[in-house]
Amino acid sequence: MPSIKSEYLLCDDNSLLEEVIESLTDSPTLILDCEAKDLGSIGGQLSLLNLGIASSLSTSKPCTEPNHPIFLIDVLAFTKAELRPLYDFLEDPSVLKVVFDGRQDFSELWHGEGVELKNVIDLQLADITSRSLRGEGQREQLQRLGRYLKRDEVNRPDRRSRYTRIHKVCGLEACVREHDFTTVYSGSQASPDHSKWLSRPLTASQLSYAARDISYIDSLYSHFKKMGYIRPSLTQESEEYITLHLDSRPSSDDRFVRHPLLPLQILDKTAHINPVQCQGCKRTLPPDCFPSHQTPRHRYRADGTDRENKCFVCSALDYVFRRTRVIW
């Protein structure tokens, strides 16, 4: 097993940046992850841009030759002009980028660096679609959701139908554990203080944590390909998913954005006829994405004022907020 330091390369000067760019040239698939202060949100700033060449890392098992380290690019050490050759890889539609929950990564790169990620697959979506292939049905779907909402709530006869449309997503570590395959990365398991990503020098624990996430995504990608979980439609679905914050950065305390539920109409699509704007997530969705009591016939209160129209996901988040009285 190589040492922790040999598993990643911290790139913080121009000579190392040239080496990284040379290593990435002609690589068809890159693993991507970012670290930042308030990643992708209002007031956010990118700290590290982390890359790996898929299935060729020193931690990949099995791996292809030659083995490459994980590249941790210290964005604060360079100007945007100096990083442009690297950013060109991210915008190149012929290079596949693999991410896990890339919504905030896209937002930070787009709004903060002027980089538009192209040709991306998001393994968080692949995990959800793999569940039915692994034998999970509606009962298990509601069980997952019940751990976040409340079992009695999701099983209420008058509400159950709305919850069958909602999927609870997994975080990266939980996803790796659930798929129960061996990852050989031996780096830090502890999550660092995310408020300190702009401090320099970065600690060994921070760097090891950043490298670990690249290794986990690479391992998941290899496993998902082997198991047939990467569907042809994943690229289009991923583009819609990661660009949810294309128009503006979200607020870090917006409970209709920061939550563990999959937004509607990403995977399970219905006809987009006579769309309605959700007053929670602000997305425009088909009427059948809203509870029946919010259809036009019941849209207005007794005093004639407009109800707050919220989709199934945002209505569920309202329930969580009322029950816990915390901002998610």
Side-chain angles (χ1 to χ4, degrees), residues 24 27-32 51-54 86 89-90 95-99:
L24 297 179
S27 299
T29 305
L30 300 179
I31 309 299
L32 169 68
L51 295 167
I53 301 172
L86 187 66
F89 288 112
L90 305 186
V95 178
L96 179 65
K97 274 71 67 174
V98 183
V99 302

Side-chain angles (χ1 to χ4, degrees), residues 174-208:
C175 187
V176 169
R177 289 195 301 269
E178 182 173 310
H179 284 270
D180 194 27
F181 62 87
T182 302
T183 179
V184 299
Y185 186 71
S186 57
S188 172
Q189 301 297 310
S191 178
D193 184 345
H194 290 278
S195 68
K196 295 182 178 180
W197 277 115
L198 300 182
S199 300
R200 293 296 184 273
L202 293 166
T203 66
S205 177
Q206 286 175 300
L207 297 173
S208 184

Side-chain angles (χ1 to χ4, degrees), residues 140-212:
E140 290 79 14
Q141 176 187 344
L142 292 174
Q143 285 177 339
R144 286 180 185 269
L145 193 59
R147 290 193 286 270
Y148 174 64
L149 296 176
K150 196 176 181 181
R151 185 183 304 172
D152 292 344
E153 169 68 12
V154 300
N155 287 323
R156 279 181 54 174
D158 60 331
R159 293 181 181 267
R160 185 182 177 92
S161 62
R162 71 173 63 178
Y163 291 127
T164 60
R165 298 278 298 275
I166 302 176
H167 298 278
K168 185 179 181 299
V169 299
C170 271
L172 179 57
E173 288 183 68
C175 187
V176 169
R177 289 195 301 269
E178 182 173 310
H179 284 270
D180 194 27
F181 62 87
T182 302
T183 179
V184 299
Y185 186 71
S186 57
S188 172
Q189 301 297 310
S191 178
D193 184 345
H194 290 278
S195 68
K196 295 182 178 180
W197 277 115
L198 300 182
S199 300
R200 293 296 184 273
L202 293 166
T203 66
S205 177
Q206 286 175 300
L207 297 173
S208 184
Y209 171 86
R212 183 207 64 175

Side-chain angles (χ1 to χ4, degrees), residues 76-317:
L76 301 186
F78 304 100
T79 66
K80 290 184 180 180
E82 290 171 330
L83 290 168
R84 176 36 61 182
L86 187 66
Y87 289 159
D88 286 343
F89 288 112
L90 305 186
E91 294 187 331
D92 186 345
S94 70
V95 178
L96 179 65
K97 274 71 67 174
V98 183
V99 302
F100 191 95
D101 191 2
R103 293 171 292 176
Q104 297 304 113
D105 302 89
F106 179 93
S107 178
E108 190 59 54
L109 288 167
W110 173 242
H111 296 296
E113 302 297 312
V115 176
E116 183 180 4
L117 283 175
K118 295 179 181 177
N119 192 14
V120 178
I121 59 171
D122 196 316
L123 298 186
Q124 192 171 60
L125 298 182
D127 170 55
I128 293 174
T129 59
S130 78
R131 293 172 186 174
S132 61
L133 298 176
R134 290 183 280 143
E136 290 193 18
Q138 189 176 98
R139 177 184 176 186
E140 290 79 14
Q141 176 187 344
L142 292 174
Q143 285 177 339
R144 286 180 185 269
L145 193 59
R147 290 193 286 270
Y148 174 64
L149 296 176
K150 196 176 181 181
R151 185 183 304 172
D152 292 344
E153 169 68 12
V154 300
N155 287 323
R156 279 181 54 174
D158 60 331
R159 293 181 181 267
R160 185 182 177 92
S161 62
R162 71 173 63 178
Y163 291 127
T164 60
R165 298 278 298 275
I166 302 176
H167 298 278
K168 185 179 181 299
V169 299
C170 271
L172 179 57
E173 288 183 68
C175 187
V176 169
R177 289 195 301 269
E178 182 173 310
H179 284 270
D180 194 27
F181 62 87
T182 302
T183 179
V184 299
Y185 186 71
S186 57
S188 172
Q189 301 297 310
S191 178
D193 184 345
H194 290 278
S195 68
K196 295 182 178 180
W197 277 115
L198 300 182
S199 300
R200 293 296 184 273
L202 293 166
T203 66
S205 177
Q206 286 175 300
L207 297 173
S208 184
Y209 171 86
R212 183 207 64 175
D213 280 0
I214 291 292
S215 174
Y216 279 178
I217 296 171
D218 179 60
S219 298
L220 274 178
Y221 179 55
S222 297
H223 178 69
F224 283 9
K225 284 196 300 179
K226 177 181 177 182
M227 301 301 295
Y229 299 157
I230 308 295
R231 304 185 305 170
S233 60
L234 183 59
T235 302
Q236 179 61 39
E237 293 162 345
S238 297
E239 179 181 353
E240 295 178 20
Y241 189 47
I242 68 171
T243 59
L244 285 173
H245 310 312
L246 179 65
D247 292 339
S248 62
R249 291 177 181 264
S251 170
S252 61
D253 62 0
D254 186 344
R255 72 176 185 272
F256 297 115
V257 172
R258 307 302 289 268
H259 58 78
L261 305 180
L262 179 70
L264 299 173
Q265 293 292 108
I266 299 296
L267 293 179
D268 304 317
K269 291 181 170 59
T270 58
H272 212 271
I273 301 172
N274 299 321
V276 178
Q277 185 181 49
C278 174
Q279 297 304 306
C281 61
K282 308 302 182 185
R283 298 175 66 220
T284 301
L285 301 165
D288 65 1
C289 291
F290 295 82
S292 58
H293 71 272
Q294 292 180 353
T295 56
R297 190 166 67 89
H298 298 89
R299 182 173 179 179
Y300 298 99
R301 296 187 178 91
D303 62 3
T305 59
D306 197 3
R307 288 181 183 272
E308 278 198 338
N309 240 16
K310 291 196 177 80
C311 68
F312 289 126
V313 167
C314 291
S315 295
L317 296 169

Side-chain angles (χ1 to χ4, degrees), residues 54-69:
S55 304
S56 69
L57 307 182
S58 60
T59 53
S60 298
K61 186 179 181 180
C63 62
T64 58
E65 297 292 342
N67 293 344
H68 295 278

Side-chain angles (χ1 to χ4, degrees), residues 1-9 58 68-70:
M1 171 63 64
S3 68
I4 298 301
K5 288 186 178 180
S6 70
E7 292 175 357
Y8 64 79
L9 172 68
S58 60
H68 295 278
I70 294 166

